[in-house]
Structures are given as structure tokens and as C-alpha cells.
Amino acid sequence: MTERTFSIIKPDATARNLTGKINAVIEDAGLRIVAQRRIRMTEDQAKKFYEVHKERPFYGELVGQMTSAPVVVQVLEGENAVAKYREIMGATNPEQAAEGTIRKQFALNVGENSVHGSDSQENAKIEIAQFFTDDQIVG
């Protein structure tokens, strides 16, 4: 089933000019980038986006990291896009990520792990709506 998922190329990756290399991994895996833009996430956007982690000890650090430099927000489309992108990203901790995954290749550590991807179809819809309108997505 063709579906969409949401991706963020995080500040640690954009600062190292890795957007093109990460996009190549995404496209080589069979996902299409149907919307993409580079933004500077505001503190309010980051707090809302990571609201689910509000009670966790790393929340403030996460918000600070996500607003520290530009990010690239994306909508990806393909067969089972949510599961496929999670597989392509690799484990949150790059030391545990499989060879060839984005995090194995590019992440600096568990906190600066280069990319975010939606964890469910429901969350993908919510996350996409925070950064894109329907007319900005060219499927």
C-alpha cells in the first residue's frame, strides 16, 4: 500500500552538508520525496513537535538541538513508507544501527542521530500537517 511518512534531516546533518547524501539513501531505497523544504525550526515548533517527550529528562536538550541550526522537513511516499523509512534510518543509537542505514553512516551519537521519521501512519499525518499544507505536497 502506498503511504506517506514524515522525515526531518536534523541540525547535526544539515550542518555537515549531508542533505543530498541522505536524500540519495532515501531515494535508492525506493521512497519518493514529494515535499521538502529547509527551515529554521522555532522553539514553539520544536516544543509542539516533541510534546510527547515533555516529561522526559532530555526534552529541553532535544528542543535546543532541533532549533540550533536549519533542518530539512520532508514528506516521503512509497510502499509501506512508515516501516520502510524506519528501516532505512536504522536504530536510534548508531552503534546498534545496521550497516548501510542512515544513522550507521551519518549519525554522530544517540542524540545527534541525523534523522527523524514518523513511528506510525497516524503520527505521520499529524507531523506532516505541522509543516506542510496539502497543496505543498506534489505526489
Side-chain angles (χ1 to χ4, degrees), residues 52-105:
V52 63
H53 299 303
K54 191 167 48 183
E55 303 305 319
R56 309 285 286 277
F58 58 81
Y59 178 69
E61 186 181 337
L62 181 60
V63 168
Q65 182 191 347
M66 293 303 290
T67 57
S68 67
V71 298
V72 175
V73 291
Q74 303 173 308
V75 180
L76 310 179
E77 188 175 81
E79 287 293 310
N80 301 310
V82 172
K84 180 172 260 188
Y85 189 51
R86 293 193 69 73
E87 186 181 315
I88 296 164
M89 287 191 304
T92 303
N93 183 341
E95 291 177 18
Q96 297 166 353
E99 287 300 323
T101 61
I102 292 170
R103 289 176 173 152
K104 187 64 161 188
Q105 294 179 70

Side-chain angles (χ1 to χ4, degrees), residues 121-139:
Q121 190 60 63
E122 182 185 37
N123 282 338
K125 288 183 172 100
I126 293 165
E127 292 174 354
I128 288 167
Q130 287 181 22
F131 294 95
F132 293 97
T133 59
D134 285 345
D135 64 343
Q136 293 174 314
I137 302 169
V138 184

Side-chain angles (χ1 to χ4, degrees), residues 7-118:
S7 165
I8 299 176
I9 300 177
K10 295 181 177 181
D12 70 274
T14 62
R16 291 178 290 142
N17 210 25
L18 295 173
T19 302
K21 289 182 172 138
I22 291 171
N23 281 351
V25 174
I26 291 168
E27 292 178 333
D28 288 349
L31 292 173
R32 291 186 329 134
I33 300 165
V34 294
Q36 172 174 277
R37 62 194 177 108
R38 185 178 174 97
I39 64 166
R40 185 72 180 250
M41 203 180 276
T42 66
E43 189 174 341
D44 286 346
Q45 280 176 316
K47 281 181 172 176
K48 181 176 187 222
F49 190 79
Y50 288 106
E51 201 168 28
V52 63
H53 299 303
K54 191 167 48 183
E55 303 305 319
R56 309 285 286 277
F58 58 81
Y59 178 69
E61 186 181 337
L62 181 60
V63 168
Q65 182 191 347
M66 293 303 290
T67 57
S68 67
V71 298
V72 175
V73 291
Q74 303 173 308
V75 180
L76 310 179
E77 188 175 81
E79 287 293 310
N80 301 310
V82 172
K84 180 172 260 188
Y85 189 51
R86 293 193 69 73
E87 186 181 315
I88 296 164
M89 287 191 304
T92 303
N93 183 341
E95 291 177 18
Q96 297 166 353
E99 287 300 323
T101 61
I102 292 170
R103 289 176 173 152
K104 187 64 161 188
Q105 294 179 70
F106 305 118
L108 297 173
N109 53 55
V110 72
E112 294 176 300
N113 61 15
S114 299
V115 287
H116 162 86
S118 302

